[in-house]
Amino acid sequence: MSFDCRHCGACCAYAASWPAFIGEGDGADIPDDLIDFEHGRMRCHANRCAAMVGEIGVATRCSVYADRPLVCREFQSGSEDCIMVRRSFDLGAA
Ligand code: SF4
Ligand code: SF4
């Protein structure tokens, strides 16, 4: 099972602690104003990543997609975590 992330975006707004940098060079090309240097992760407004554009569950995109953190690249559409996050935003599991 997988979902079209362009109509979701839930995992980009679930927890400020999620989009954290995990290795050397991770996030290197992301603009400074989108980075929370103190915590080593993406800047968030509440739980929503500052790089996300659009409306959750309708149409979203990552404004730094080509340079997004490793953790974002590894997050799998259709995984248990994906479904859990989608449910937290009242988005369906199928
Ligand atoms: S929660 Fe799942 S479907 Fe939604 S954007 Fe993230 S990976 Fe894609
Ligand atoms: S960097 Fe992009 S993919 Fe990662 S949480 Fe932020 S908006 Fe989502």
Side-chain angles (χ1 to χ4, degrees):
M1 181 195 307
S2 68
F3 305 98
D4 185 344
C5 296
R6 295 170 298 181
H7 300 295
C8 179
C11 59
C12 304
Y14 182 72
S17 59
W18 272 27
F21 306 129
I22 55 176
E24 182 125 359
D26 195 12
D29 293 322
I30 294 173
D32 286 357
D33 62 332
L34 294 176
I35 293 178
D36 175 346
F37 287 99
E38 182 183 352
H39 296 102
R41 62 197 189 199
M42 296 298 295
R43 181 175 303 284
C44 290
H45 304 297
N47 287 325
R48 178 178 168 133
C49 177
M52 186 170 72
V53 177
E55 184 178 345
I56 296 167
V58 180
T60 58
R61 67 178 177 85
C62 172
S63 65
V64 295
Y65 188 79
D67 300 313
R68 67 198 188 286
L70 290 172
V71 69
C72 306
R73 296 169 192 267
E74 292 172 355
F75 199 88
Q76 293 290 313
S77 172
S79 65
E80 279 185 30
D81 282 344
C82 164
I83 292 169
M84 178 272 291
V85 169
R86 283 177 58 88
R87 285 190 172 133
S88 77
F89 285 90
D90 291 328
L91 298 172

